[in-house]
Amino acid sequence: MWAYNETFYQIYPIGFCGAPVHNDGVTVPRIKKIGEWSEYLETLGIGSIILNPIFESDNHGYDTRDFKKIDCRLGTNDDFKEVCQTLHEHHVKIMLDGVFNHVGRGFWAFQDVQEKKWDSPYKDWFHISFDGNSCYNDGFWYEGWEGHFELVKLNLQNPAVVDYLLDCVRFWIEEFDIDGLRLDVAYSLDHNFMRRLRHFCEELKPGFALIGEVLFGDYNIIVNDEMLHSCTNYECYKGIYSSFNSMNMFEIAHSLNRQYGPEQWCIYRGKHLMNFVDNHDVTRIASILTNKNHLPLTYGILFGMPGIPCIYYGSEWGEEGVKAPDNDYALRPCFDAPKPNELTELIEKLIVIRRESDALCNGGYRNVVLTNHQLVFERRSDSERVLVAINAGDCDFTAGNGELNGDYTELITGETGNLSGSLNMPAYSIQYLKMN
């Protein structure tokens, strides 16, 4: 699967492109801005972008009105087709947000039910009871997603709904030549639907990637050979920033070993979960860290650990943004242009290092040295061994371990050297040691 060796870049288009928060009905080709960033993304080393919702919606994109029409605030289908062509020319694949669990109240089939009630041929597309009423006084009750009644839950056990959604996916592949889907709230989706989606997409476009949004639980339930290729690794997301803020590297080391360690009981060995330090739903990593010296180190772990790294737009240069209690606007800003800096340069190096390393892309995981402030772990494949060393402390540290032996090349700086039972770790440092 191509996705396992690539770095992803997530964009929330409505915010990124500076579109109005609420759908004003005015068509403006703002989505072309994504194409304008294609050269920057190629230079950064991005293999694929993940675009949060781009289809016609009531407000934030997850309240879809029409799955086959680009949101007028972003432009037209032809505008997006042009963007996709430009991205592909710059060797950047495209993954769209598949919002299949729910739609907006403006969704055409739901509006038909509002108008015709019992007589609507689409009444079984949703979970509806005509014995009750909604908070919008529709004259019937319906299930909303997790109590959000602006989001109308689809009935994915209805074959007509599944056929419609698969037809939309076919349209996206044939019209825009997309390469994969991020499945919104995958933990809520019907499992049979995901099985059928996997088979459908693989037949239509071999290698089509499916990555689910999962917040909790056993990822193996939906990440397997019949359903999804990957899912979001929220366990390690929390473990990364929390380990630095509490100065306790045992937390992230425990999570990584629990997921990928050498013991037979480790639960995700051989899988490639999607890793991140922030996204469109959570406070940015530059804002949540209590010590800004740790910011580069979080990316040192992100690109060294097993799984697929994903960067949220703007965070590669340390943009800040704090999640508000009632909205996410601060997390989804519009930038006039990229603002690369030293952090961006480091991430660019880490992307190249990871892509060219079999151990970092596919190797196993093992903790080698672990203290409250330091972590050294091994990534090993049949052809390569890499040690990832993180010192979160504010002073130098010498790690001693009988396994720290042999000639090495430090992949970030290109320096060579020899270990004889110990490793010097400067304050606030990242080292990627390829052992010869």
Side-chain angles (χ1 to χ4, degrees):
M1 166 53 64
W2 62 268
Y4 298 157
N5 289 4
E6 298 292 352
T7 296
F8 283 70
Y9 191 87
Q10 183 189 357
I11 293 174
Y12 180 80
I14 291 173
F16 175 86
C17 298
V21 173
H22 305 293
N23 194 325
D24 58 4
V26 180
T27 301
V28 180
R30 296 182 176 93
I31 204 164
K32 289 186 177 181
K33 180 178 177 180
I34 296 174
E36 294 168 1
W37 280 45
S38 58
E39 186 173 342
Y40 166 74
L41 295 175
E42 182 180 26
T43 300
L44 188 58
I46 299 302
S48 178
I49 58 170
I50 297 177
L51 296 180
N52 292 121
I54 59 171
F55 296 107
E56 190 75 13
S57 70
D58 296 336
N59 294 297
H60 47 65
Y62 291 98
D63 43 6
T64 314
R65 293 178 181 174
D66 188 341
F67 284 107
K68 291 188 177 182
K69 180 180 180 296
I70 297 297
D71 196 298
C72 64
R73 292 170 288 174
L74 297 174
T76 66
N77 286 13
D78 286 340
D79 292 330
F80 184 58
K81 189 173 183 179
E82 179 183 319
V83 167
C84 292
Q85 290 172 342
T86 301
L87 287 167
H88 280 147
E89 288 169 1
H90 287 83
H91 312 291
V92 178
K93 290 181 166 59
I94 300 109
M95 179 171 284
L96 297 186
D97 212 335
V99 188
F100 299 139
N101 181 71
H102 47 259
V103 294
R105 285 176 52 81
F107 184 61
W108 58 270
F110 186 73
Q111 289 192 322
D112 192 81
V113 178
Q114 288 175 308
E115 177 187 350
K116 299 173 184 174
K117 306 293 192 293
W118 267 102
D119 295 327
S120 172
Y122 304 108
K123 63 181 182 297
D124 294 328
W125 280 37
F126 313 97
H127 300 272
I128 284 176
S129 170
F130 289 100
D131 294 330
N133 199 0
S134 72
C135 57
Y136 291 96
N137 197 31
D138 291 303
F140 57 84
W141 175 91
Y142 63 87
E143 183 178 349
W145 174 68
E146 296 187 358
H148 297 277
F149 290 98
E150 73 278 13
L151 302 175
V152 186
K153 188 170 175 60
L154 286 167
N155 179 9
L156 292 179
Q157 294 183 333
N158 183 335
V161 174
V162 175
D163 288 344
Y164 167 75
L165 293 176
L166 294 182
D167 183 61
C168 292
V169 174
R170 179 190 298 276
F171 175 79
W172 301 339
I173 293 174
E174 293 178 349
E175 186 72 9
F176 306 123
D177 194 25
I178 66 168
D179 305 285
L181 290 173
R182 169 203 183 265
L183 300 188
D184 183 53
V185 296
Y187 55 88
S188 295
L189 297 178
D190 180 81
H191 289 184
N192 287 328
F193 168 74
M194 286 190 280
R195 291 187 185 96
R196 187 167 171 199
L197 177 67
R198 170 74 173 262
H199 180 74
F200 176 85
C201 293
E202 189 61 35
E203 280 203 335
L204 193 59
K205 187 171 185 177
F208 194 85
L210 297 174
I211 300 178
E213 179 196 22
V214 181
L215 308 182
F216 46 76
D218 182 359
Y219 303 152
N220 287 311
I221 293 173
I222 62 172
V223 178
N224 53 57
D225 292 339
E226 293 184 341
M227 297 163 75
L228 308 185
H229 298 96
S230 180
C231 73
T232 52
N233 190 352
Y234 265 89
E235 177 185 345
C236 284
Y237 151 71
K238 190 267 181 183
I240 291 174
Y241 77 77
S242 180
S243 293
F244 286 106
N245 282 353
S246 62
M247 290 300 284
N248 178 19
M249 302 308 290
F250 283 87
E251 180 176 353
I252 185 59
H254 171 77
S255 290
L256 288 170
N257 188 74
R258 174 181 177 271
Q259 292 189 346
Y260 297 112
E263 295 85 4
Q264 289 298 318
W265 54 263
C266 297
I267 55 180
Y268 303 132
R269 298 196 312 166
K271 285 187 163 56
H272 297 74
L273 304 182
M274 176 159 278
N275 305 317
F276 57 97
V277 294
D278 50 20
N279 62 30
H280 66 302
D281 286 327
V282 300
T283 293
R284 286 188 186 256
I285 188 67
S287 293
I288 208 167
L289 288 174
T290 54
N291 183 343
K292 304 309 179 190
N293 290 307
H294 290 154
L295 182 56
L297 308 190
T298 65
Y299 287 98
I301 291 180
L302 181 70
F303 284 90
M305 64 190 279
I308 308 165
C310 184
I311 300 166
Y312 186 49
Y313 78 99
S315 288
E316 73 272 22
W317 60 73
E319 194 70 35
E320 297 197 17
V322 177
K323 184 179 179 70
D326 58 345
N327 68 71
D328 295 324
Y329 301 149
L331 308 178
R332 306 168 178 182
C334 174
F335 301 120
D336 292 335
K339 298 184 283 186
N341 56 18
E342 289 184 8
L343 177 62
T344 319
E345 293 175 5
L346 170 65
I347 290 173
E348 185 179 333
K349 286 183 180 179
L350 295 178
I351 289 173
V352 173
I353 289 168
R354 179 186 175 277
R355 184 195 297 127
E356 295 179 353
S357 169
D358 182 55
L360 294 178
C361 286
N362 304 300
Y365 175 92
R366 189 168 61 87
N367 290 320
V368 177
V369 175
L370 179 57
T371 74
N372 284 87
H373 298 178
Q374 290 81 28
L375 171 61
V376 180
F377 59 83
E378 177 192 74
R379 301 294 314 283
R380 184 196 287 265
S381 68
D382 291 341
S383 61
E384 189 179 38
R385 179 182 180 228
V386 175
L387 295 176
V388 177
I390 306 290
N391 182 4
D394 60 2
C395 57
D396 294 357
F397 178 82
T398 299
N401 186 293
E403 296 185 44
L404 300 175
N405 281 294
D407 296 330
Y408 68 84
T409 301
E410 209 292 309
L411 297 175
I412 298 175
T413 64
E415 296 177 359
T416 59
N418 177 270
L419 298 180
S420 54
S422 64
L423 170 64
N424 181 46
M425 304 171 69
Y428 301 131
S429 66
I430 311 163
Q431 297 175 72
Y432 281 36
L433 306 179
K434 181 178 179 180
M435 305 307 296
N436 299 331

